[in-house]
C-alpha cells in the first residue's frame, strides 16, 4: 500500500503516482493457494478435458434418466427369434436412429437408455461411498496424527488390519449374508445403501493414512504451537487450525478415490452381488453380456467403454488436480 | 535378527486371530440379523428330507445353537486338532486343519480349498511375475527418460490400464484373440502335471489381462518413486564419487525406490492368492474366488468363511515374508 502522505499536491503531480501505485498493487498482489492451483490447472489441457468430461457425465447422470426412454422396456420385435440376436444394425447390434447403442439380449432393451440410467447408480454410489470414506478417513487420520501415543497406535493398527482384509471377498460375503429388508428399505434401495456403506467403510484407511501423515508434519508447525500457547483446546486446533490446511490432499485423494470406487461397484455388479437386475448398472450389463458377447459384441462394448471413459475422466482430472495443488509432486 | 523375526511372527499370529474372530463373527451374526433361524441353516444341510428330528439332529451335530464363543472356540480347535461332528450314531470326522463342513456338498471345507487352490495359484503367480517385471522396468525407464516419447506413451498406456476394468479387458481379449483372430483356443484350465504346455496356453490370456492392470499401477508407482529418489542428495554424491551411472541407478536409486513397491506387492499377491475372483469369473476358471461366490450364492456359509480365512492367512503370510526380506536387505528395519 502506497498511500500518499501529502494530500495537498496538485492533480498533475498526483496522477502519475496513482497510476504507478495501481501497477505496483497489481504486480505484488498476493495470490491464494487456491488461485495459484486454479491457474496451473487451467494450463493443464488434459486435466481440464477430464474435468469437463466429469461435469458432462454428472449432468448426464442427473438429467439423463428423464430424457431417455424406459430402460426396462423390451423390444421383442427387434430380436430375431431363431438366431436370438438383433435383426438389424451393424454387426447385428440393433443400432438405429431409435436405439443409438443398439438393444440388449434377450429382451431387446434399449442399451443407450440403460447406459444413461446406469451412470446414475454408478456415480451416486461412488460419490457417496467416497464421502463416507473421506469423513471417516479424515476424522481418524487427524486424531491419530495429532494425538499420537496409544491413540495413534490403535488407529494405525486398525488401518493395517483393514488393509489386510480381503476387501472384495469380504464385500461379496457381506452382500451374501445381508438381509433383504432393513432400516425401512428393501430391494435395490437397500442394496444401494449397503454398497455405499461397504465401499466407504472399507476404503477409509487409504485416505486415513495420508491424512495421518500430513497431520504428523503439520502439528509441529508454529501456528499450531501458537494456537496451543493461546489456550486453544484440541477440538479447536483440529478443526479450525489443522483441517483448513488439509483441504488440498483431501480434495485430491477424494477425486482419485471416486474412479476406484466406480470400478469397485462395477466389479460387484459384474459378479452378481451389486445392483440387482433388471435395474441397469454397467457392471451388471457386462455380466449379462458375458453369456452372449460372441453373437453380440456391442453388448459388452458399450457398458465397458462407459466405465472406461468415466474412470479415465476422473483419473485425468484427479492427476491434474494433484499436480496443480502440489507442485513438488512428480510429473 | 532372530528376535525381529519372532516379534513379526507374534504380530502375524495376533493379526490372524483378530481377522478370524471378526470374520467368524460376521458370518455367525449376520445370518441372525438377516432373520435366518438356525432351523433354516440346518434345513439347508439336510437338503430335501426336512423332518423336525432331522433338524434337531443337524443342529446338535453342527452345534448351530451353541453360543458364539463356544462355536468360535470349536472352530479354532478344529484348525489344529480336527473336529468330530457327533449326534447319536451319526459321526462325521473332519481331520486336522478343519475349517468346517460344507452345508451343500458334505465335504470338509479344507478339501474344497485344496481342490481349488492350484487354479488360483497358477493365475496369481504367473501374472505376478509378468506384472512385476513389466511394471518395474517400464516405470524405471520412464523415470530415467522423463518427458521422452517412451515416457509419455507408456504413462498414457498405464493411465488407460488403471482405468480399464479387468472384466472388460478379459472379455474383449477372449472375443478378439480366441474368437475373431483364432490365435488361441478358449481358455480352459488344465492341470500343470498333465501337460505343462496346455496349462500355460490356457493361462496366457488370464495372465496378460491381470498383469496389464497391475503392471499399469506398478509402472506409475515405480516411476513416481524413482523420480523422487533420483533427486535425492545421496544420488548426487554417488555420481560425484565417480560411480558408473548403472551402479547409481540400480544400487542407489532402484534399491530404495523399490521398497514401497515390495510392500504393496506383498498385499496384492496375498489378496490374489485368496481368490482372483474377477479373473476367474471372466474366464470361467473354477478357482478359490469362484468357490467363494458359489458359497455366497448357495448360502453355503462355511465355504465362504473358509475362503475368507484362507485369504486373510495368505495376506498375513505374504506381509510377513516381505517384512523379513526387508530386515535382511536393510539393517535399520531390524532395530526400529
Amino acid at each position: 500500500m502506497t498511500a500518499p502522505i501529502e494530500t495537498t499536491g496538485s492533480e498533475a503531480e498526483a496522477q502519475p503516482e496513482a497510476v504507478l501505485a495501481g501497477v505496483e498493487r497489481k504486480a505484488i498482489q498476493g495470490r491464494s493457494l487456491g488461485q495459484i492451483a486454479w491457474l496451473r490447472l487451467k494450463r493443464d489441457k488434459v486435466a481440464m478435458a477430464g474435468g469437463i468430461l466429469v461435469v458432462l457425465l454428472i449432468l448426464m447422470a442427473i438429467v439423463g434418466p428423464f430424457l431417455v426412454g424406459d430402460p426396462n422396456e423390451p423390444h421383442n420385435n427387434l430380436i430375431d427369434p431363431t438366431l436370438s440376436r438383433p435383426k438389424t444394425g451393424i454387426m447385428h447390434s440393433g443400432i438405429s436412429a431409435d436405439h443409438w447403442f443398439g438393444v440388449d439380449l434377450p429382451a431387446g432393451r434399449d442399451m443407450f437408455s440403460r447406459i444413461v440410467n446406469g451412470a446414475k447408480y454408478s456415480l451416486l454410489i461412488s460419490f457417496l461411498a467416497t464421502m463416507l470414506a473421506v469423513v471417516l478417513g479424515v476424522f481418524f487420520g487427524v486424531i491419530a496424527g495429532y494425538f499420537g501415543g496409544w491413540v495413534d497406535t490403535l488407529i494405525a493398527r486398525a488401518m493395517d488390519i483393514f488393509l489386510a482384509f480381503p476387501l472384495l471377498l469380504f464385500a461379496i460375503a457381506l452382500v451374501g449374508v445381508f438381509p433383504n429388508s432393513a432400516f425401512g428399505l428393501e430391494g435395490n434401495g437397500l442394496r444401494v445403501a449397503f454398497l455405499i456403506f461397504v465401499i466407504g467403510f472399507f476404503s477409509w484407511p487409504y485416505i486415513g493414512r495420508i491424512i495421518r501423515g500430513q497431520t504428523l508434519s503439520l502439528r509441529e508447525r508454529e501456528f499450531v504451537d501458537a494456537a496451543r500457547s493461546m489456550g486453544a483446546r484440541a477440538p479447536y486446533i483440529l478443526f479450525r487450525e489443522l483441517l483448513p490446511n488439509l483441504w488440498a490432499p483431501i480434495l485430491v485423494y477424494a477425486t482419485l478415490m471416486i474412479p476406484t470406487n466406480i470400478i469397485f461397484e462395477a466389479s460387484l455388479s459384474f459378479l452378481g452381488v451389486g445392483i440387482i437386475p433388471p435395474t441397469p448398472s454397467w457392471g451388471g450389463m457386462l455380466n449379462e453380456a458375458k453369456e452372449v458377447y460372441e453373437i453380440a459384441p456391442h453388448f459388452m462394448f458399450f457398458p465397458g467403454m462407459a466405465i472406461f471413459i468415466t474412470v479415465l475422466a476422473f483419473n485425468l482430472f484427479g492427476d491434474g488436480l494433484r499436480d496443480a495443488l502440489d507442485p513438488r509432486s512428480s510429473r | 535378527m532372530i528376535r525381529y523375526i519372532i516379534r513379526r511372527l507374534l504380530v502375524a499370529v495376533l493379526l490372524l486371530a483378530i481377522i478370524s474372530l471378526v470374520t467368524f463373527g460376521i458370518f455367525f451374526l449376520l445370518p441372525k440379523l438377516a432373520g435366518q433361524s438356525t432351523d433354516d441353516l440346518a434345513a439347508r444341510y439336510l437338503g430335501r428330507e426336512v423332518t423336525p428330528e432331522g433338524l434337531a439332529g443337524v443342529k446338535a451335530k453342527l452345534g448351530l445353537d451353541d453360543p458364539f464363543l463356544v462355536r468360535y472356540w470349536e472352530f479354532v480347535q478344529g484348525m489344529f486338532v480336527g473336529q468330530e461332528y457327533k449326534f447319536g450314531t451319526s459321526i462325521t470326522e473332519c481331520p486336522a486343519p478343519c475349517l468346517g463342513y460344507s452345508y451343500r456338498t458334505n465335504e470338509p471345507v479344507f478339501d474344497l480349498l485344496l481342490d481349488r487352490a492350484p487354479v488360483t495359484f497358477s493365475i496369481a503367480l504367473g501374472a505376478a511375475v509378468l506384472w512385476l517385471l513389466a511394471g518395474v522396468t517400464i516405470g524405471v525407464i520412464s523415470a530415467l527418460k522423463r518427458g521422452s516419447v517412451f515416457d509419455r506413451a507408456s504413462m498414457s498406456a498405464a493411465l488407460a490400464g488403471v482405468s480399464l476394468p479387468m472384466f472388460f479387458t478379459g472379455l474383449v481379449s477372449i472375443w478378439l484373440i480366441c474368437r475373431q483372430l483364432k490365435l488361441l483356443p478358449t481358455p480352459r484350465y488344465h492341470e500343470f502335471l498333465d501337460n505343462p504346455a496346455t496349462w500355460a496356453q490356457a493361462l496366457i490370456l488370464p495372465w496378460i489381462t491381470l498383469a496389464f492392470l497391475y503392471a499399469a499401477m506398478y509402472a506409475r508407482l515405480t516411476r513416481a518413486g524413482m523420480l523422487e529418489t533420483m533427486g535425492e542428495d545421496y544420488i548426487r554424491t554417488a555420481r560425484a564419487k565417480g560411480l558408473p551411472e548403472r551402479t547409481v541407478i540400480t544400487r542407489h536409486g532402484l534399491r530404495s525406490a523399490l521398497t514401497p513397491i515390495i510392500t504393496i506387492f506383498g498385499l496384492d499377491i496375498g489378496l490374489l492368492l485368496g481368490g482372483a475372483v474377477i479373473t476367474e469369473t471372466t474366464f470361467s476358471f473354477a478357482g478359490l474366488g469362484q468357490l467363494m461366490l458359489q458359497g455366497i450364492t448357495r448360502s453355503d456359509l462355511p465355504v465362504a468363511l473358509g475362503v475368507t480365512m484362507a485369504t486373510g492367512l495368505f495376506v498375513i503370510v505374504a506381509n510377513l515374508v516381505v517384512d523379513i526380506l526387508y530386515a535382511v536387505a536393510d539393517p535399520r528395519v531390524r532395530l526400529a
Side-chain angles (χ1 to χ4, degrees):
Chain A
M1 293 288 150
T2 48
I5 299 164
E6 223 178 318
T7 48
T8 51
S10 69
E11 289 267 319
E13 270 176 281
Q15 248 172 1
E17 230 184 318
V19 172
L20 206 68
V23 170
E24 235 169 55
R25 187 174 302 154
K26 204 166 191 180
I28 59 166
Q29 188 183 42
R31 291 201 192 108
S32 74
L33 183 67
Q35 284 171 317
I36 297 172
W38 173 239
L39 281 175
R40 274 204 216 105
L41 192 63
K42 265 203 302 199
R43 253 182 272 139
D44 190 344
K45 295 247 163 44
V46 183
M48 285 307 282
I52 291 167
L53 203 51
V54 164
V55 173
L56 290 178
L57 283 164
I58 294 171
L59 274 178
M60 179 179 97
I62 295 171
V63 278
F66 298 106
L67 304 177
V68 295
D70 178 7
N72 290 323
E73 184 193 350
H75 300 277
N76 291 318
N77 57 326
L78 292 173
I79 307 289
D80 190 328
T82 46
L83 293 167
S84 66
R85 66 180 184 190
K87 288 178 199 161
T88 52
I90 322 154
M91 291 171 82
H92 295 279
S93 55
I95 292 176
S96 65
D98 289 337
H99 307 288
W100 294 353
F101 290 174
V103 291
D104 75 354
L105 291 176
R109 294 170 297 190
D110 180 44
M111 293 269 291
F112 183 69
S113 169
R114 291 185 72 74
I115 296 270
V116 169
N117 277 281
K120 181 175 68 183
Y121 290 101
S122 188
L123 292 183
L124 180 76
I125 291 173
S126 51
F127 266 90
L128 292 180
T130 304
M131 269 172 64
L132 177 63
V134 166
V135 169
L136 288 173
V138 169
F139 182 75
F140 286 112
V142 165
I143 286 183
Y146 181 73
F147 289 107
W150 66 268
V151 178
D152 182 32
T153 314
L154 192 72
I155 294 176
R157 284 285 155 268
M159 291 198 275
D160 284 348
I161 293 175
F162 265 94
L163 292 176
F165 256 66
L167 174 51
L168 188 62
L169 288 185
F170 218 70
I172 297 169
L174 283 173
V175 172
V177 290
F178 204 70
N180 292 323
S181 62
F183 317 117
L185 291 167
E186 58 184 347
N188 247 320
L190 179 69
R191 189 55 74 84
V192 169
F194 179 72
L195 288 172
I196 291 167
F197 173 77
V198 169
I199 300 175
F201 189 71
F202 280 100
S203 48
W204 71 264
Y206 290 95
I207 194 159
R209 276 188 162 186
I210 291 156
I211 296 300
R212 174 179 168 268
Q214 298 271 341
T215 311
L216 276 177
S217 65
L218 274 180
R219 74 165 181 193
E220 306 299 333
R221 297 269 289 272
E222 291 84 353
F223 69 90
V224 178
D225 281 341
R228 215 179 284 140
S229 66
M230 284 164 73
R233 289 190 199 162
Y236 180 87
I237 295 178
L238 286 180
F239 295 106
R240 304 298 290 275
E241 301 279 348
L242 290 177
L243 209 53
N245 283 289
L246 289 168
W247 72 266
I250 292 173
L251 196 64
V252 168
Y253 287 97
T255 316
L256 288 173
M257 233 165 140
I258 291 172
T260 318
N261 288 345
I262 290 175
I263 289 197
F264 197 5
E265 182 275 318
S267 306
L268 287 175
S269 295
F270 172 72
L271 294 172
V273 289
I275 298 280
I276 308 163
T279 305
S281 66
W282 296 341
M285 288 170 84
L286 276 166
N287 182 24
E288 291 161 23
K290 188 173 167 284
E291 311 301 324
V292 294
Y293 66 89
E294 285 169 55
I295 47 172
H298 74 285
F299 194 4
M300 74 175 172
F301 178 78
F302 289 111
M305 287 311 280
I307 301 174
F308 174 54
I309 290 169
T310 311
V311 171
L312 187 67
F314 275 101
N315 274 332
L316 288 173
F317 182 64
D319 275 2
L321 201 61
R322 184 184 54 203
D323 294 341
L325 286 170
D326 181 9
R328 283 168 308 151
S329 75
S330 47
R331 191 160 171 123
Chain B
M1 187 68 197
I2 301 285
R3 271 183 63 183
Y4 174 79
I5 292 178
I6 290 173
R7 210 167 58 203
R8 298 305 312 177
L9 260 173
L10 285 178
V11 171
V13 170
L14 188 70
L15 265 180
L16 202 60
I18 293 175
I19 288 187
S20 71
L21 187 64
V22 171
T23 316
F24 196 82
I26 284 170
F27 279 88
F28 181 85
L29 296 172
L30 268 181
K32 279 193 179 160
L33 256 175
Q36 280 190 325
S37 66
T38 44
D39 278 344
D40 296 330
L41 291 175
R44 209 166 280 140
Y45 182 80
L46 273 177
R48 285 195 207 113
E49 305 139 45
V50 181
T51 57
E53 300 85 59
L55 284 180
V58 170
K59 277 198 286 187
K61 194 170 162 185
L62 296 180
L64 290 180
D65 278 331
D66 291 345
F68 174 64
L69 282 176
V70 172
R71 289 192 64 187
Y72 178 66
W73 176 243
E74 277 171 4
F75 181 80
V76 173
Q77 242 183 347
M79 277 195 268
F80 295 104
V81 295
Q83 215 170 332
E84 202 174 63
Y85 301 106
K86 206 160 41 172
F87 180 69
T89 49
S90 110
I91 296 173
T92 315
E93 285 282 347
C94 180
C98 176
L99 287 171
Y101 219 73
S102 163
Y103 291 160
R104 287 289 160 128
T105 59
N106 257 330
E107 276 176 282
V109 171
F110 190 74
D111 291 358
L112 288 170
L113 291 182
L114 277 187
D115 213 37
R116 301 297 191 94
V119 181
T120 303
F121 282 32
S122 302
I123 297 175
L125 294 176
V129 173
L130 271 184
W131 93 58
L132 202 56
L133 284 176
V136 171
T137 315
I138 292 170
V140 170
I141 298 176
S142 279
L144 295 177
K145 307 206 178 224
R146 183 183 188 180
S148 67
V149 179
F150 178 88
D151 180 29
R152 283 153 177 271
S154 57
M155 282 307 117
S156 307
L159 190 65
V162 294
S163 304
L164 276 166
M166 207 192 320
F167 41 90
F168 181 50
T169 41
L171 288 180
V172 170
S173 69
I174 306 177
W175 179 74
L176 189 70
I177 290 170
C178 303
R179 297 298 149 82
Q180 299 303 115
L181 303 173
K182 298 202 178 0
L183 294 175
L184 284 169
T186 310
R188 187 157 293 127
Y189 185 73
H190 289 274
E191 289 282 332
F192 175 74
L193 291 175
D194 283 356
N195 185 349
T198 43
W199 171 81
Q201 197 186 35
L203 283 163
I204 290 176
L205 277 188
W207 282 341
I208 293 178
T209 313
L210 193 54
F212 180 56
L213 171 69
Y214 282 93
M217 292 195 298
Y218 280 55
R220 279 160 67 94
L221 286 171
T222 311
R223 181 179 179 275
M226 266 310 260
L227 280 179
E228 208 181 309
T229 330
M230 293 306 279
E232 297 277 349
D233 288 343
Y234 69 84
I235 295 289
R236 201 173 43 199
T237 311
R239 285 204 180 111
K241 282 195 298 189
L243 288 179
E245 188 63 19
R246 224 190 137 76
T247 320
V248 175
I249 292 166
T250 52
R251 295 290 296 275
H252 292 76
L254 193 56
R255 195 170 172 167
S256 78
L258 271 186
T259 328
I261 308 277
I262 299 294
T263 312
I264 295 167
F265 182 71
L267 271 176
D268 283 342
I269 193 75
L271 285 177
L272 272 183
L273 287 177
V277 199
I278 297 174
T279 321
E280 287 169 21
T281 309
T282 314
F283 290 95
S284 307
F285 277 25
L288 288 172
Q290 283 290 297
L291 186 65
M292 169 82 182
L293 266 185
Q294 277 169 20
I296 289 302
T297 46
R298 297 184 194 165
S299 320
D300 197 350
L301 292 187
V303 170
L305 177 67
V307 180
T308 317
M309 293 269 189
T311 313
L313 177 73
F314 293 141
V315 171
I316 288 168
V317 170
N319 272 324
L320 185 68
V321 172
V322 165
D323 278 348
I324 291 173
L325 284 181
Y326 266 174
V328 174
D330 184 353
R332 282 174 307 177
V333 175
R334 261 174 269 166
L335 304 170

